[in-house]
Amino acid sequence: MTIRPHTKIIFPLFFLLSFFWVATLNANQSASETSSLREARMKWWKEARFGMFIHWGLYAIPAGEWNGRTDYGEWIRTSAQISLEVYDQFVPRFNPVQFDAEQWVRYAKEAGMKYIVITSKHHDGFCLFDSEFTDFDIMSTPFKRNILKELSDACRKYGIKLGFYYSIMDWHHPDYLPRREWEINRTVQGAVFERYVTYMKNQLKEILTNYGTIGVLWFDGEWEGTWNDKYGKEIYDFARQLQPSIIVNNRVTTGRQDLKGFTVEGEFAGDFGTPEQQIPATGIPGMDWETCMTMNDHWGYNKNNNNWKTPETLIRNLVDIVSKGGNYLLNVGPTSQGLFPQPSIDSLIAIGKWMKVNGESIYATHSSPFRFLPWGRCTRKDIDSGVRLYLHVYQWPSDRKIVVPNIFNQPNSCYLLSDPHRKSLLVTRNEDGLIIELPLQAPDPYVSVVVLDVKGKLDISNPPVFSSTHKIFIDLLQVSILSDRESQEIRYTLDGSVPRKDSLLYTGPILLNSTTLISARCFRNGKPVSETVQEQYKKVIPLSPVSLLNPSNGINYQYYEGDWDVLPDFSKLTPIKSGELEKLDITNANSPDKFAFRFTGYIEVLYDDVYTFSTNSDDGSRLYIAGTLVVDNDQLHGPMEREGVIALSRGFHPIRIEYFEKTGGEVLEAYIKGHRLEKQLLKFYK
Ligand code: H79
């Protein structure tokens, strides 16, 4: 059973849990910029919350179709393996006579968007602007009108901020490396990557000096091994010198982990994270981010794809993102004639209609103070008398009541944001929180917003959070329970029952010596003020070791080739080569891309303990001990570390590490950490 609290130390509750309001310093902040200067630079962007992405270029001409396949987009040159010579023939065909920059900007404005980010150059290398440094630009087309110039003038006229997307990867420039692997007759001879970096700088100087103030610089295509952190920082500084207030995304350098869009902790991350086609489960304290997303399945125009998101989805995405503290950059892929697809226009108008009524709940608001709301989302804004909560109701309740859970502030006023008369809604309190009585009919078919003004500083009780080194243990485990509020008690049970006012009072870390289910809940004045949370802690028997007669350093490997997006089933494959290596090493691959390794050997641990193993890999990897999957780091991604735990007895244990690489950079490392063992690279035996 359990040994009761053995210490009276009150834990520093606030460190862990004050994340909803803390504005931490950005780890990447350049030394010369104070946090208040950074805040001033980011202000317009953080208040804007909603912007338009535009993917436009030569790829709008094939419109997603090539040799009978119809699912291409802006990647068509590479995905359909179109040679440079053939792709170049789109240049004399690019003549978007219906392009009207002001109309595009009006669409954005109409939708309630505050900024536009357009592809000045996508991966295909084609430039929508007049560049001195290449002929592969708009001036070589019959159109001969500088798109960026017209758009920047229109944006200025309508008060919309303009940003430029600029691809680091460039499938056209002779000095960019690597080539696509199917481009067998495009020689790399004479290619000098440094010269490509100079080309980039020259072009960045053009787009950052010829079009007035530019709000955002949005890099992409940074993941091929040729780009690195040194270039990234250099280019970031270069951009900031030319436009001191510009906001630069994290793809300027190489720390982005995958399409989740956030940079590896501790690495330079530009000014904001870039989740792509996805919305993070929660925001990240002190981290600015922007989800970019398509309206159908493609960024560039695809004439056959009709998988359009509904206005409801788009509006709810915006609300969801803003409630988590992010921005929404919603894409339009115009046609080769220069027109927005009609379904995009329709959605922009529908969003705009919603924003005209409800925009106040989006612009310049902050993330939700609630961890979870069953009926929708919340954003908030500080006002003189306290805090204004915007309650975004997705499911209009049939009993006409919504609960604002565990809030102690006194309500000041409450009304529907759509109601010009601001007719008061009845607010009462019960033990769950504030209860708001709504009218029978939802004012909006997609998301209805209720305004709730409360007095003073927010006083909301979220459920407590458990903290321990692991969820499994061998002998004893110390578990802490933390709350984000000082003025309340935590009560807990160890038998799975819901904590009551006379349950055990938490006063300090709990020491467990057997498998236990802990349930915890916050109380104030003897009344429960939060939901109950539970966690199971499992006592385990550490894995028995194996005996090795003559252990020597080294590891066995099998090498495979193939084109995978996830780890293959190695049992069905025949290795191309195999042998022994001194350490975990993928440098003896025969090919730069599309290969896999399977390593087998033994590791030794010196104590019985719960060990944390991790792999850092690009692309996917998995680590097994004695056949048990411990680390699952599969999938396509940039360098990314994932961990897992297992209890081991002192001695040798069989280990297997699987790894694959599709394209781009490659890395594989494996680490171990224990209570008495600092994190270190694994050593292998055979
Ligand atoms: O411009 C649009 C797309 O054309 C471009 N980004 C958006 C804004 C895009 N290019 N590629 N992708 C999106 C998907 C690529 C994913 C991967 Fe990777 C590249 C998988 C592995 C390398 C990103 C970097 C995820 C892991 C590392």
Side-chain angles (χ1 to χ4, degrees), residues 55 74-75 122-123 165 220 223 256 258 276 299 637-638:
H55 276 70
E74 73 292 345
W75 271 67
H122 203 263
H123 307 332
Y165 170 108
D220 199 5
W223 59 82
R256 173 173 64 122
D258 54 14
E276 177 166 329
W299 300 95
H637 48 68

Side-chain angles (χ1 to χ4, degrees), residues 54-259:
I54 300 177
H55 276 70
W56 202 35
L58 297 178
Y59 41 78
I61 299 173
E65 193 164 336
W66 199 255
N67 282 341
R69 251 183 78 175
T70 58
D71 60 345
Y72 300 115
E74 73 292 345
W75 271 67
I76 192 165
R77 159 140 150 70
T78 280
S79 306
Q81 306 195 354
I82 303 174
S83 71
L84 204 63
E85 296 70 36
V86 171
Y87 199 82
D88 280 349
Q89 286 162 28
F90 290 133
V91 174
R93 290 175 56 196
F94 193 74
N95 195 17
V97 289
Q98 306 206 59
F99 170 66
D100 177 352
E102 292 200 7
Q103 181 58 51
W104 284 15
V105 176
R106 278 195 297 270
Y107 283 136
K109 186 137 185 146
E110 186 69 20
M113 293 157 157
K114 300 286 190 186
Y115 61 108
I116 292 175
V117 178
I118 185 166
T119 49
S120 67
K121 183 193 88 167
H122 203 263
H123 307 332
D124 65 1
F126 179 74
C127 301
L128 284 181
F129 60 101
D130 180 4
S131 176
E132 230 183 274
F133 302 95
T134 181
D135 287 334
F136 195 50
D137 71 352
I138 192 73
M139 289 313 181
S140 301
T141 70
F143 196 54
K144 283 201 179 64
R145 275 161 54 186
N146 188 336
I147 310 286
L148 299 197
K149 177 75 173 66
E150 294 185 21
L151 204 59
S152 64
D153 290 344
C155 282
R156 202 166 304 114
K157 173 167 168 185
Y158 286 97
I160 295 282
K161 300 258 187 192
L162 181 61
F164 292 144
Y165 170 108
Y166 187 91
S167 175
I168 292 168
M169 179 162 73
D170 189 319
W171 304 328
H172 199 272
H173 196 283
D175 284 318
Y176 180 81
L177 294 170
R179 301 278 185 261
R180 305 311 94 197
E181 86 268 342
W182 49 268
E183 286 185 297
I184 23 188
N185 44 25
R186 253 189 97 201
T187 179
V188 296
Q189 232 184 4
V192 180
F193 194 78
E194 283 289 340
R195 210 157 52 199
Y196 173 71
V197 179
T198 306
Y199 170 77
M200 271 184 69
K201 280 188 164 178
N202 287 334
Q203 287 206 318
L204 288 168
K205 187 165 181 195
E206 290 182 319
I207 62 175
L208 296 183
T209 45
N210 297 340
Y211 306 96
T213 304
I214 297 306
V216 177
L217 193 52
W218 215 105
F219 287 100
D220 199 5
E222 83 289 14
W223 59 82
E224 302 207 285
T226 41
W227 193 247
N228 63 37
D229 186 50
K230 181 179 110 356
Y231 292 138
K233 284 186 181 133
E234 197 181 305
I235 289 287
Y236 179 91
D237 290 340
F238 182 72
R240 290 283 309 279
Q241 270 160 30
L242 293 167
Q243 296 249 355
S245 310
I246 203 162
I247 296 168
V248 183
N249 72 345
N250 64 342
R251 301 187 188 187
V252 66
T253 179
T254 48
R256 173 173 64 122
Q257 307 184 64
D258 54 14
L259 294 175

